[in-house]
Amino acid sequence: MKALVLAGGSGTRLRPITHTSAKQLVPVANKPVLFYGLEAIAAAGIREAGLVVGDTQAEIEAAVGDGSAFGLEVTYLRQEAPLGLAHGVLIARDYLGDEDFVMYLGDNFVVGGISDLVDRFARERPAAQIMLTRVGDPGQFGVAELDGQGRVVGLEEKPAHPKSDLALVGVYLFSPAVHAAVAELKPSWRGELEITDAIQWLLEAGLRVESSVITGYWKDTGNVTDMLEVNRLVLEWLDAGVHGKVDEASELIGRVRVEPGAVVERSRLVGPVIIGAGAVIRDSYVGPFTSIGADCAITGSEIEYSIVLPRASIQGVGRIESSLIGHDVEVTPAPNTPRAHRLVLGDHSKVQISS
């Protein structure tokens, strides 16, 4: 079995961060979201992965390389425009050949990996196998309709009137039969080739589509709120440890990880928190569920429930929370603004904030 990882989207919901960064490389717990997916694929025993990439190919290729760091052999497949999930399958036709494959959305996060799903597919060999989860806003997702025995009888992409609350999670398993379905597709009202239409084609052709409703955790990390929530979840599993320097005037409470080269002075860190390599925290408070990236500088400030990307600087700011702060951002005081701040800042921004 091969893997097809879709990493070509433009990330409009994470702008301005994604004006200069691939959305799949935005980190949670200081590791890109894409890496968690690649690790899950390798853990399932898959060794060959095709990465569908777009305008951010150079950045993704620089981060992933040949895939050997993940135990994978990676091939890059260029998609000229994000024309739908099924379009990703279409352009990967020659790469996939006649092998079964798992399709994994590169900005999705699934707790517990995919090994059990892959094993089940190999045993039962349906034409397709999908993962479902119950959501409160099914109109924002691909939605599956099941019969009384739990069999898939219909699918629809972002329906105005959903027939269920079961949304498709961003992991799909396919036999080569899906290629015939994809070849027959026409663009939807969104102008895209929908993978839900391809699966519906399989159903109408009398082929078997299996599903499982996951009870674990899944998130599409396409917006800031979901990124922060995934960061919170991953930090819950954090292995604590001080590998940098923490002075005696500092206090570490709970699960705190200080990476090599980081320095903590006269500060209070309440975990779960990760401080990236080379970061400097002075005279500050870093609260729960916060990831501070490599080479950041936090001085005389308070921050919690936030993600700070590498080389950002926060100085003299009374309180920051629920924020995603980009690479090389500078946050400094300015007079007459509120004490509590929520920020979504693009890379290389400069913002003044009063304490």
Side-chain angles (χ1 to χ4, degrees):
M1 180 180 286
K2 290 182 176 179
L4 184 66
V5 182
L6 302 190
S10 56
T12 55
R13 292 179 294 158
L14 274 174
R15 289 176 180 168
I17 296 291
T18 49
H19 279 308
T20 52
S21 297
K23 66 175 180 176
Q24 298 85 6
L25 296 181
V26 176
V28 292
N30 287 358
K31 182 164 70 175
V33 170
L34 176 61
F35 287 13
Y36 292 97
L38 295 177
E39 290 169 355
I41 287 166
I46 298 170
R47 293 295 171 258
E48 296 180 73
L51 258 65
V52 176
V53 292
D55 292 341
T56 57
Q57 176 175 353
E59 186 182 5
I60 290 175
E61 195 163 349
V64 176
D66 63 3
S68 57
F70 305 93
L72 297 171
E73 180 183 330
V74 168
T75 299
Y76 293 92
L77 306 168
R78 179 72 183 203
Q79 186 180 36
E80 294 306 319
L83 298 175
L85 304 187
H87 185 260
V89 177
L90 186 66
I91 67 168
R93 179 67 182 92
D94 290 343
Y95 170 76
L96 294 169
D98 292 325
E99 294 192 46
D100 296 340
F101 66 98
V102 56
M103 185 172 78
Y104 199 114
L105 306 193
D107 61 350
N108 276 222
F109 186 89
V110 180
V111 169
I114 61 171
S115 297
D116 290 346
L117 294 165
V118 170
D119 290 345
R120 177 185 167 188
F121 183 85
R123 288 194 310 270
E124 300 182 2
R125 292 304 311 281
Q129 183 175 306
I130 59 177
M131 293 174 63
L132 305 173
T133 190
R134 299 191 182 278
V135 297
D137 54 345
Q140 302 300 311
F141 302 92
V143 174
E145 181 184 3
L146 307 183
D147 65 14
Q149 286 71 47
R151 291 187 295 261
V152 181
V153 294
L155 298 107
E156 194 173 1
E157 185 66 29
K158 294 182 173 61
H161 304 287
K163 295 179 180 178
S164 80
D165 62 352
L166 293 170
L168 276 73
V169 174
V171 180
Y172 310 77
L173 293 105
F174 292 112
S175 75
V178 75
H179 296 300
V182 168
E184 295 293 326
L185 295 184
K186 299 290 187 284
S188 68
W189 61 270
R190 301 195 305 158
E192 298 185 0
L193 298 181
E194 308 287 3
I195 199 67
T196 46
D197 290 345
I199 300 170
Q200 182 67 30
W201 188 97
L202 294 173
L203 286 170
E204 293 173 359
L207 298 175
R208 187 160 52 99
V209 175
E210 297 291 340
S211 70
S212 57
V213 179
I214 63 171
T215 56
Y217 189 90
W218 162 80
K219 275 289 184 182
D220 171 0
T221 61
N223 61 52
V224 174
T225 299
D226 288 341
M227 285 293 306
L228 293 173
E229 174 64 11
V230 171
N231 187 64
R232 180 196 68 78
L233 183 75
V234 175
L235 288 177
E236 290 277 18
W237 308 334
L238 183 69
D239 291 329
V242 175
H243 306 283
K245 296 181 180 179
V246 178
D247 70 3
E248 294 183 354
S250 295
E251 182 180 17
L252 274 56
I253 301 172
R255 292 189 305 281
V256 175
R257 183 175 182 85
V258 180
E259 298 284 17
V263 175
V264 179
E265 297 178 348
R266 301 179 301 277
S267 296
R268 187 168 186 256
L269 278 57
V270 179
V273 161
I274 185 169
I275 308 298
V280 177
I281 314 296
R282 289 194 176 100
D283 304 307
S284 295
Y285 165 77
V286 181
F289 308 116
T290 302
S291 297
I292 306 296
D295 300 315
C296 287
I298 314 293
T299 305
S301 301
E302 300 180 6
I303 184 169
E304 69 176 41
Y305 196 70
S306 294
I307 299 172
V308 184
L309 274 59
R311 303 179 303 280
S313 171
I314 303 172
Q315 300 189 29
V317 179
R319 188 75 168 184
I320 295 174
E321 55 189 41
S322 303
S323 300
L324 173 58
I325 298 175
H327 300 85
D328 303 288
V329 166
E330 295 182 15
V331 184
T332 55
N336 303 320
T337 54
R339 289 184 58 84
H341 313 280
R342 187 176 191 275
L343 308 174
V344 181
L345 301 175
D347 301 349
H348 306 287
S349 300
K350 294 184 179 181
V351 177
Q352 291 186 320
I353 296 178
S354 68
S355 299

